[in-house]
Amino acid sequence: MAGGENRSWVIETVSWPLFGLSAVLVVLRLWTRTRIIRSLGWDDAFIILALVCACVNSIMITISAHYGTGRHANTLTEYQQIMSTKYNWLSQGFHVMSSNWGKVSVAMFLLRIIRKVKHHKMAICGGMVLLTIINVVCVYTIYGQCTPTAKLWDTSVDGSCWDPGVQKNYAFFQGSSSAFSDLVLALYPLHTIYGLQMARKVKFGLATVLSLGIFAMVAAIIKTINLASLSARADYPWKTVDLAIWIEVEQYLIIIAACIPTLTPLFNIAIYKRSSKRNASSGKKVYTGPQYGRSDGYAQFGSRPGQEYPLDEYSGDIWTTRKDGDGNSDDPIITEEGGQGIMKTTEIHIQTGSMAERNDSRP
C-alpha cells in the first residue's frame, strides 16, 4: 500500500448523507405521530435518543478523520495519531448506545402491536433489558480498558491497560448479540402477521416494512467481522477505517428501519387520495358507509375542520377481502371480525385465543 493513501473522505461520505436521511425520517415520524394520529409513545423518545447518539458518533468520527483516521500512521505526526485515535475511540461508545436505543425503539413499537399477547410481551421486555445490559458493559470495556482512559490513545501517559484482546473479544460478543437481535426483531413481525386475516398484498406490504431491520443485521455482521482491527495498535488510523464505515451504516440503518413503518399513515393518505381521484373519474366508490358519517369513504379525523383520514386508520377494524361487484378479490372492505386491527398508527394489534373468546372480551 502506498503511504499516501487516504480513505478519510469515505467515512464522511457515508456518515452525513445517512444522518440526513435518518433525521428527515425521524422528523416525519414525529410529525405523523403528533399531527396525524396524535399519539406519541416511548418508542418515539428512544428513536430521538438513538439519533442524538448517532449524531455525536458521526461528529467525533469526522473529527477523527480530520486528524488522520483513514490514513496510514506513518504519514501522520505524533499529535495527529493521538487525536485521530482519541476521537475514534470516543465515538464508539455513542455508536453502541445509538444502536441499542434504536433496537429498544423497534421493540417498543412491537409491544404496541402485541399488547394482548402477554408471553410475547414479557419475552420482548426481557430481551430489551438483556441487550441494554450487554451494550452498557460494552461501553465500559471501551472506556475502562485503560486507567486512566487517556492512555488508550496516548501511550506516553502513565497507567495500565488490559490486554487488547479482552475488549476485542467482548466486542465480538456484543456485535454478535446485536446482529442476532436485529434478526429477531426483523423476523418477529413475519410470525405475527402470517396468520392475520387481511388482503394478501396488504399483508406483504406490512411484513416488508416491519422487517427492514434485516439490512441492519447484515451491516452488524460486517461490522463485527471488522472488529479485529480494534487490536491493531501499530497502524490504528488505517486499520479501523472499515470498522468506522460499517459502524455508521449500521446505526443509521437501524434508525431508518425503525422509522419507515411509522410513516404508513402518510403513505396511506397519499395513496388513498390518488385512488379516490381515479375512482371519482371512473364513477366507482370505495369505503362507503353511513356508520362513518360520510358517503365517500372518509371519516372526520381530529378537531380541525376539513382534516380527514382514511378509514383503515380510524375504525380500529381489520382488513379482509371479498369478491365485489367487479370481481376484484383484493378490494378491501371494513369488517367487524377479528376485533382489534389496523389502528390509528397502522399497527396491527395481535391477540391470541379463539374468535369466541375475543368476541367475549370486547366491550
Side-chain angles (χ1 to χ4, degrees):
M1 295 183 184
E5 286 182 288
N6 186 350
R7 298 181 64 199
S8 302
W9 64 273
V10 180
I11 298 174
E12 299 176 15
T13 302
V14 170
S15 300
W16 293 109
L18 284 175
F19 167 77
L21 176 59
S22 299
V24 168
L25 291 177
V26 169
V27 170
L28 288 175
R29 172 186 181 138
L30 296 176
W31 189 88
T32 301
R33 290 285 178 90
T34 56
R35 301 296 297 274
I36 297 180
I37 66 172
R38 303 189 179 187
S39 176
L40 281 173
W42 282 106
D43 53 332
D44 301 306
F46 280 112
I47 204 64
I48 294 172
L49 188 57
L51 182 65
V52 170
C53 289
C55 181
V56 174
N57 169 272
S58 294
I59 291 172
M60 289 190 172
I61 200 62
T62 299
I63 296 173
S64 176
H66 170 74
Y67 281 112
T69 295
R71 289 180 281 170
H72 289 284
N74 59 13
T75 66
L76 304 175
T77 65
E78 182 179 357
Y79 177 75
Q80 287 176 319
Q81 291 184 45
I82 291 173
M83 296 303 289
S84 64
T85 303
K86 173 183 178 179
Y87 284 101
N88 193 330
W89 277 112
L90 290 177
S91 71
Q92 292 180 27
F94 289 95
H95 156 71
V96 172
M97 296 315 297
S98 173
S99 300
N100 182 79
W101 301 133
K103 296 174 200 292
V104 169
S105 177
V106 173
M108 298 194 78
F109 178 78
L110 292 177
L111 287 178
R112 298 173 67 157
I113 297 176
I114 61 160
R115 62 180 61 175
K116 298 292 184 180
V117 189
K118 293 183 179 180
H119 60 284
H120 287 192
K121 183 176 180 179
M122 292 176 61
I124 290 179
C125 289
M128 281 193 295
V129 172
L130 178 61
L131 184 65
T132 300
I133 292 173
I134 291 173
N135 287 327
V136 169
V137 172
C138 183
V139 172
Y140 171 74
T141 64
I142 292 172
Y143 300 137
Q145 61 183 299
C146 287
T147 306
T149 304
K151 188 170 178 59
L152 184 59
W153 52 79
D154 187 357
T155 56
S156 66
V157 175
D158 291 334
S160 61
C161 294
W162 305 342
D163 184 290
V166 174
Q167 196 276 327
K168 183 189 73 173
N169 291 336
Y170 190 86
F172 273 121
F173 168 70
Q174 183 274 336
S176 301
S177 301
S178 179
F180 178 73
S181 64
D182 285 326
L183 178 63
V184 172
L185 292 173
L187 293 183
Y188 179 80
L190 300 181
H191 167 71
T192 56
I193 291 172
Y194 177 77
L196 292 180
Q197 183 187 12
M198 61 173 64
R200 186 177 303 169
K201 61 184 180 182
V202 178
K203 183 185 295 187
F204 177 79
L206 287 172
T208 300
V209 298
L210 290 173
S211 302
L212 291 174
I214 200 74
F215 297 105
M217 182 202 71
V218 173
I221 292 173
I222 298 174
K223 181 204 73 174
T224 302
I225 293 172
N226 282 283
L227 286 172
S229 62
L230 290 175
S231 58
R233 297 293 194 264
D235 197 5
Y236 191 84
W238 175 262
K239 294 289 186 180
T240 57
V241 64
D242 287 329
L243 175 61
I245 291 170
W246 284 104
I247 278 175
E248 298 299 303
V249 172
E250 182 197 10
Q251 65 186 12
Y252 288 120
L253 282 183
I254 292 172
I255 295 172
I256 292 169
C259 287
I260 289 178
T262 67
L263 301 181
T264 48
L266 286 177
F267 300 147
N268 285 348
I269 289 175
I271 293 172
Y272 191 84
K273 286 186 175 180
R274 288 180 57 190
S275 176
S276 297
K277 290 179 180 178
R278 289 197 301 267
N279 291 331
S281 63
S282 65
K284 180 180 177 181
K285 289 187 178 182
V286 183
Y287 303 127
T288 61
Q291 67 270 34
Y292 297 111
R294 293 178 61 113
S295 60
D296 58 0
Y298 274 78
Q300 193 71 28
F301 186 87
S303 58
R304 286 174 293 175
Q307 185 178 4
E308 299 170 343
Y309 205 61
L311 289 178
D312 68 306
E313 296 293 338
Y314 189 82
S315 66
D317 298 322
I318 68 171
W319 290 100
T320 186
T321 59
R322 70 175 178 187
K323 291 283 186 179
D324 59 11
D326 63 3
N328 186 348
S329 63
D330 285 333
D331 281 352
I333 63 171
I334 299 298
T335 176
E336 290 291 333
E337 297 179 5
Q340 298 283 350
I342 296 184
M343 305 299 286
K344 290 193 294 183
T345 53
T346 326
E347 296 161 5
I348 307 163
H349 288 216
I350 311 301
Q351 56 187 5
T352 58
S354 66
M355 183 66 69
E357 290 172 341
R358 292 198 296 267
N359 289 336
D360 290 341
S361 65
R362 296 164 70 181

